[in-house]
Amino acid sequence: MSVDTLWSPMDLSAPPVIRLSQARLSYPTPDGEIEVLSGIDLSVSPGEIVAVTGPSGSGKSSLIAVIGGLEPLSGGQARVLETDMTAETERGRTLLRRRDIGIVFQAYHLVPSMTALQNAALPLTLAGDPDAQAKAERMLERVGLGHRLTHRPSALSGGEQQRVAVARAFVAAPRLVLADEPTGNLDQRTGETVIRTMFDLARGSGTALLLVTHDPALADRCDRTLVIEGGRVVT
Ligand code: ADP
Ligand code: MG
């Protein structure tokens, strides 16, 4: 058994951090609307680590976008943390994301002009936290980058950039982190370091983690797996 699965702080009796009920998402295209999520039901408990797998184009990133408030639902219900996403304005969804949700993307999405420390501190800086720098420094030390504080993304390897992105996702102690193929651009070993860091941080703080991955072995290390095909949950 791996260290990841030895202990889990998840509390299945607490209200879910994510509850989707028949969630739908359509995108407008020149040929009319296309539906990419066709009625997703999903409940994720506090501290739970859930893998999301499925073929390319099945709607995994769209699901992350809906839960992270980046896209509004076109039907159904979505409660994320204590917020009814269907009733929120775009501004409200942005504030929820900033305050309470960390997101890690495949392509890192760091701000090129900022140092590792500034990038990792960003959610706290935006929230006006006076201890932003000190907290970000501690978080970068936890992800093994205490010696890279003043480097800009262009001076960091892919694995280091992704660890900065992980530090940024966790720095504000969110109850939910969304990760969309976070190791998709990394080699096996580097990816494993990033994954271990994310699992340690999530397990250590009881943060729920929704992890999109194509790697069946990685999905097996999660508490459970959600398989999506054609915008629907198949298992
Ligand atoms: P996955 O992450 O599983 O590969 P996506 O959620 O990215 O899948 O995409 C699901 C479907 O939605 C695909 O058919 C894709 O082409 C389409 N799609 C994604 N984003 C948009 C968009 N902004 N406009 C129109 N179609 C989109
Ligand atoms: Mg995707």
Side-chain angles (χ1 to χ4, degrees):
M1 191 199 279
S2 81
V3 174
D4 305 328
T5 53
L6 281 176
W7 178 76
S8 161
M10 74 174 115
D11 178 0
L12 298 173
S13 65
V17 289
I18 300 171
R19 188 161 56 206
L20 302 186
S21 169
Q22 287 300 299
R24 293 178 179 274
L25 174 65
S26 299
Y27 289 118
T29 72
D31 305 324
E33 298 257 307
I34 56 156
E35 192 171 75
V36 300
L37 298 178
S38 305
I40 303 268
D41 294 323
L42 171 66
S43 182
V44 176
S45 297
E48 213 181 357
I49 298 186
V50 178
V52 179
T53 66
S56 198
S58 59
K60 304 180 298 295
S61 295
S62 302
L63 179 67
I64 295 286
V66 161
I67 295 167
L70 297 160
E71 294 286 349
L73 283 190
S74 42
Q77 296 294 318
R79 272 192 96 75
V80 179
L81 303 169
E82 276 75 47
T83 301
D84 178 356
M85 299 300 251
T86 24
E88 268 309 328
T89 59
E90 183 169 2
R91 172 88 187 140
R93 287 186 273 117
T94 300
L95 287 175
L96 172 74
R97 184 168 62 248
R98 257 196 219 160
R99 266 198 322 264
D100 293 324
I101 304 175
I103 309 188
V104 181
F105 298 97
Q106 178 172 346
Y108 325 133
H109 288 210
L110 300 176
V111 181
S113 61
M114 290 186 177
T115 65
L117 185 60
Q118 289 168 330
N119 268 290
L122 197 54
L124 298 173
T125 311
L126 288 171
D129 187 326
D131 298 323
Q133 298 271 315
K135 288 178 182 169
E137 194 170 331
R138 277 202 296 279
M139 191 53 77
L140 284 171
E141 274 159 16
R142 285 195 64 182
V143 305
L145 289 178
H147 58 308
R148 292 280 186 271
L149 302 181
T150 59
H151 288 56
R152 286 179 215 287
S154 60
L156 296 170
S157 71
E160 288 171 337
Q161 289 183 63
Q162 195 61 307
R163 279 188 281 153
V164 174
V166 168
R168 179 181 60 186
F170 281 91
V171 76
R175 281 180 293 153
L176 174 61
V177 168
L178 309 171
D180 194 352
E181 302 194 42
T183 60
N185 286 2
L186 306 175
D187 64 61
Q188 180 81 31
R189 257 181 83 160
T190 310
E192 176 56 25
T193 308
V194 168
I195 290 296
R196 278 195 166 268
T197 305
M198 286 187 26
F199 272 59
D200 285 349
L201 288 169
R203 294 292 192 210
S205 54
T207 304
L209 175 61
L210 202 62
L211 174 60
V212 176
T213 178
H214 282 295
D215 179 355
L218 175 54
D220 280 348
R221 288 158 61 188
C222 297
D223 297 321
R224 68 190 158 97
T225 300
L226 184 78
V227 183
I228 297 184
E229 273 180 41
R232 289 191 164 81
V233 177
V234 293
T235 48

